[in-house]
Amino acid sequence: MKQIAVIFLVLFLLISCHGEKTFFMKLTRMLSDTENQDQSSIPKENNFENYKKSTQNIDEREFESNFWKKEAQRKLKSQIEKKFNTNIAKNVILFMGDGMSLSTITASRIYEGQLKHKTGEENSLSFENFDHIGLSKSYCVDKQTADSACSATAYFTGVKNNYTTVGVNAKVQYKDCKASLKKENQLSSFIEWAQKAGKATGIVTNTRVTHASPSAAYAKTSNRDWESDLNIAQSNNTDGCDDIALQLITSEPGKNINVIYGGGRKKFIGNNIIETTSASRGERLDGRDLIDEWLEDKRMRNMKNAHYIHNRDGLNSLNTNDAEYVLGLFANSHLDYHLNRNPQEPTLKEMTISAIEVLKKSKNGFVLFVEGGRIDQAHHNNMAKLALDETVQLSEAVQSAVDMTNEKDTLIIVTSDHSHTMTLAGYSSRGADILGYNTQISDIDKMPYMTLSYTSGPSAAKGGRDHMPNKDEMKQNSYDYPSLVPLSYETHSGEDVVIYGRGPYAHLFDGVLEQNMIPHIIAYAACIADNKSDLTACDNKNSK
């Protein structure tokens, strides 16, 4: 009796200190952990045949040891036989998956595989088959986690700079117009280096062509948001600073770019103008029609075969064998997400194919930048399905470039500017819907959870665990996946991003690199260095 009384006294004191609910939750959890330690990672089916039935979509060979051994030996053999390509890169294509984190790549790989009615995990995106791979450190000079402006400046110019600034060095602070106008603070991009070397150049994006990533190819500004003069007018102390759209049309290297495909039509025409080919009104306060000025500039400089196109029909009917300069603005703002696409807007793959067809006629080769920019924008709204689908679209564009070029003389790089907070969680069964609920439930609240979720974003305002979506909700393209910290927009994350390389000197991307190394390697491989003192592959060829 005394022993029982002592036990109850201890229980009473513990409950008094911790509260009845908390105490019994901890007690239950402790007993469960003791009896069933790490059971969350073990299949619930005790009978192997039943477990095998639950994973019936898995290739039968995977249950045999020899399958994995043979696959490993096959890959080992290919790694041993891998040879470095040290040819000069006549052509360079840089693919940028904006916000394409490693988790995004993994989830997109599974998503694409499941669209093919496979389990998904064994699938590979096109660029995952490239021979060389590295990691890029994407921080800004003044920020631990990058935005698309400072990261684009790094991979276009070879110099790191400050958050939200484009094409200028770190001496220029946000909105410091005066400092951005100083020549010593302005940077040149590999697009300009390529033009000086006599190569054709192009930019392709499914965002506005004046958006942060593509703008670093040609613009110098202390604020990435100054895309038109309307945006500049909304700021102070901007006397003398040209907006990004104006720089693209009237300044070098922008006005010399052969192919410009993307969105953002409203940034180029006045708010008093309804553009006749698309019946859309602009936003410019100066009343200028920069599209017409672009065409006039080509006529004045005797640059024949210049074309402006505004929709998919125009792209499809373009005579790429004849065209030398093409401006394609296919939407007033960003192009639609692929899953919600307007049929009159071209896909990223279609724009990429057209750009290569135009540029490949250059006897000196070409340099092309292609951005899958809507991956990032989907992530910012916690719309994981759209982000994964946009990644698959980028992968298809990459495959088209691979099919249209020769690895002997074309360097293709696929990378990202920064990461995002989406992650894959839990111990879901092989082949489980990557867009759906995890096949396990929480051992705390006994409720299901999604395999994909975010650290931050607008979906947190829905109430978190109090709102559990049904299957109909999750099927929506724009379904916003769970997030923890309530923010108007989900944030970027600061971990390294992947670089995939194929072609001449792609092996130089192996390892962990600062992001600003990317254009230096491009310049080396293609012999388009900005400074005579910079290393190039041509130096090595000439010295032999």
Side-chain angles (χ1 to χ4, degrees):
M1 289 294 292
K2 288 182 179 180
Q3 291 177 331
I4 294 175
V6 169
I7 291 172
F8 274 104
L9 177 61
V10 171
L11 289 174
F12 174 76
L13 291 172
L14 287 171
I15 292 171
S16 299
C17 293
H18 299 282
E20 181 179 354
K21 184 177 179 181
T22 302
F23 169 74
F24 280 109
M25 283 180 65
K26 289 182 177 179
L27 180 62
T28 303
R29 196 181 312 159
M30 181 180 68
L31 292 173
S32 175
D33 289 346
T34 303
E35 294 176 3
N36 202 19
Q37 190 171 8
D38 202 29
Q39 292 299 303
S40 61
S41 62
I42 300 174
K44 293 179 180 179
E45 297 86 353
N46 293 323
N47 183 285
F48 179 72
E49 289 304 317
N50 289 339
Y51 176 61
K52 195 172 179 181
K53 287 179 182 178
S54 73
T55 55
Q56 57 187 345
N57 290 329
I58 298 175
D59 188 329
E60 287 288 328
R61 295 174 300 169
E62 292 189 24
F63 293 95
E64 302 297 332
S65 303
N66 280 340
F67 169 79
W68 297 105
K69 291 179 179 179
K70 287 180 180 179
E71 283 296 295
Q73 287 296 311
R74 181 188 62 79
K75 182 63 177 178
L76 176 61
K77 186 173 185 292
S78 70
Q79 292 287 85
I80 293 170
E81 294 175 348
K82 189 184 295 182
K83 295 181 180 179
F84 292 163
N85 181 340
T86 57
N87 298 327
I88 303 301
K90 179 181 179 181
N91 311 309
V92 179
I93 308 175
L94 173 60
F95 284 93
M96 181 60 53
D98 197 319
M100 188 175 68
S101 62
L102 183 55
S103 292
T104 301
I105 293 170
T106 303
S108 300
R109 173 199 308 151
I110 297 171
Y111 169 76
E112 183 188 54
Q114 292 180 348
L115 290 177
K116 298 174 183 176
H117 307 292
K118 298 180 180 179
T119 57
E121 294 84 358
E122 72 291 340
N123 185 53
S124 293
L125 299 173
S126 62
F127 48 84
E128 292 185 282
N129 297 313
F130 286 10
D131 283 340
H132 300 283
I133 183 170
L135 291 175
S136 171
K137 297 158 68 176
S138 63
Y139 62 92
C140 311
V141 168
D142 63 341
K143 292 283 186 180
Q144 192 173 74
T145 298
D147 77 322
S148 293
C150 81
S151 55
T153 301
Y155 64 71
F156 265 116
T157 74
V159 177
K160 289 208 173 198
N161 71 342
N162 294 326
Y163 184 76
T164 71
T165 63
V166 173
V168 291
N169 65 25
K171 292 180 180 178
V172 179
Q173 302 295 319
Y174 176 55
K175 289 188 177 181
D176 188 346
C177 172
K178 186 176 180 180
S180 71
L181 293 174
K182 293 181 178 180
K183 291 293 184 182
E184 62 267 28
N185 292 339
Q186 296 181 349
L187 305 170
S188 61
S189 75
F190 66 76
I191 291 292
E192 186 171 356
W193 310 342
Q195 290 175 358
K196 290 178 179 179
K199 294 183 182 294
T201 55
I203 58 173
V204 172
T205 179
N206 52 11
T207 68
R208 296 188 295 269
V209 296
T210 51
H211 210 234
S213 298
S215 71
Y218 57 85
K220 296 103 170 61
T221 180
S222 59
N223 185 355
R224 57 176 283 180
D225 293 329
W226 290 346
E227 296 183 51
S228 74
D229 65 338
L230 171 65
N231 305 129
I232 286 187
Q234 295 165 345
S235 300
N236 297 320
N237 302 318
T238 58
D239 289 344
C241 280
D242 289 339
D243 61 83
I244 294 171
L246 187 63
Q247 291 185 53
L248 175 58
I249 301 302
T250 65
S251 301
E252 294 183 348
K255 67 179 184 179
N256 298 326
I257 296 174
N258 298 81
V259 177
I260 304 167
Y261 288 163
R265 192 185 302 120
K266 66 181 179 180
K267 304 292 182 181
F268 293 85
I269 53 179
N271 57 14
N272 61 330
I273 299 172
I274 297 179
E275 199 247 344
T276 53
T277 55
S278 61
S280 57
R281 187 179 293 275
E283 71 174 34
R284 297 191 65 83
L285 300 179
D286 57 15
R288 295 172 71 167
D289 185 338
L290 296 181
I291 297 171
D292 188 60
E293 289 186 29
W294 181 86
L295 288 167
E296 180 62 21
D297 171 71
K298 302 301 172 286
R299 285 192 290 267
M300 292 294 293
R301 292 197 285 160
N302 201 30
M303 294 176 171
K304 299 179 180 180
N305 302 322
H307 305 268
Y308 168 65
I309 52 180
H310 71 277
N311 59 22
R312 191 183 186 197
D313 287 343
L315 185 76
N316 290 337
S317 62
L318 179 71
N319 182 353
T320 55
N321 292 322
D322 170 71
E324 294 181 25
Y325 291 87
V326 190
L327 173 62
L329 300 177
F330 304 108
N332 234 15
S333 185
H334 305 305
L335 275 68
D336 290 336
Y337 291 111
H338 173 257
L339 288 177
N340 304 331
R341 186 172 63 87
N342 179 337
Q344 275 304 305
E345 291 182 2
T347 65
L348 191 65
K349 174 182 176 179
E350 289 169 342
M351 291 189 289
T352 301
I353 291 172
S354 176
I356 294 174
E357 288 177 343
V358 172
L359 297 173
K360 69 181 182 181
K361 302 189 301 291
S362 170
K363 64 178 182 179
N364 295 322
F366 66 85
V367 172
L368 173 63
F369 171 76
V370 181
E371 181 200 23
R374 304 233 63 190
I375 302 168
D376 171 78
Q377 292 166 349
H379 275 320
H380 278 307
N381 289 288
N382 297 145
M383 296 176 181
K385 180 178 181 180
L386 290 176
L388 305 194
D389 189 75
E390 291 297 319
T391 305
V392 172
Q393 297 310 305
L394 178 70
S395 175
E396 292 182 2
V398 172
Q399 186 58 55
S400 295
V402 168
D403 294 340
M404 295 177 69
T405 58
N406 191 324
E407 189 173 8
K408 291 182 179 179
D409 67 0
T410 302
L411 171 62
I412 299 179
I413 310 120
V414 181
T415 188
S416 178
D417 49 355
H418 54 73
S419 186
H420 269 278
T421 69
M422 189 199 78
T423 188
L424 287 75
Y427 302 96
S428 215
S429 296
R430 175 77 177 275
D433 184 1
I434 190 64
L435 299 172
Y437 280 119
N438 199 280
T439 53
Q440 306 232 331
I441 63 171
S442 167
D443 62 345
I444 302 297
D445 62 15
K446 308 303 179 186
M447 293 173 66
Y449 59 93
M450 307 294 288
T451 297
L452 302 179
S453 62
Y454 292 85
T455 300
S456 63
S459 66
K462 285 185 174 181
R465 303 290 282 165
D466 294 331
H467 175 76
M468 301 305 295
N470 57 43
K471 290 184 178 180
D472 289 336
E473 285 182 272
M474 289 187 287
K475 287 180 181 178
Q476 296 175 7
N477 293 338
S478 58
Y479 170 67
D480 47 348
Y481 280 68
S483 58
L484 177 63
V485 180
L487 294 172
S488 297
Y489 295 98
E490 179 262 359
T491 68
H492 298 168
S493 59
E495 68 265 22
D496 298 349
V497 290
V498 189
I499 310 172
Y500 301 89
R502 175 185 189 270
Y505 290 98
H507 59 277
L508 297 181
F509 290 104
D510 293 346
V512 180
L513 308 174
E514 294 285 357
Q515 194 167 50
N516 68 295
M517 275 290 295
I518 292 173
H520 290 276
I521 296 173
I522 289 173
Y524 180 88
C527 299
I528 58 171
D530 187 35
N531 299 311
K532 291 182 179 180
S533 59
D534 290 348
L535 299 172
T536 71
C538 289
D539 296 334
N540 292 338
K541 300 290 183 183
N542 294 334
S543 64
K544 290 181 180 179

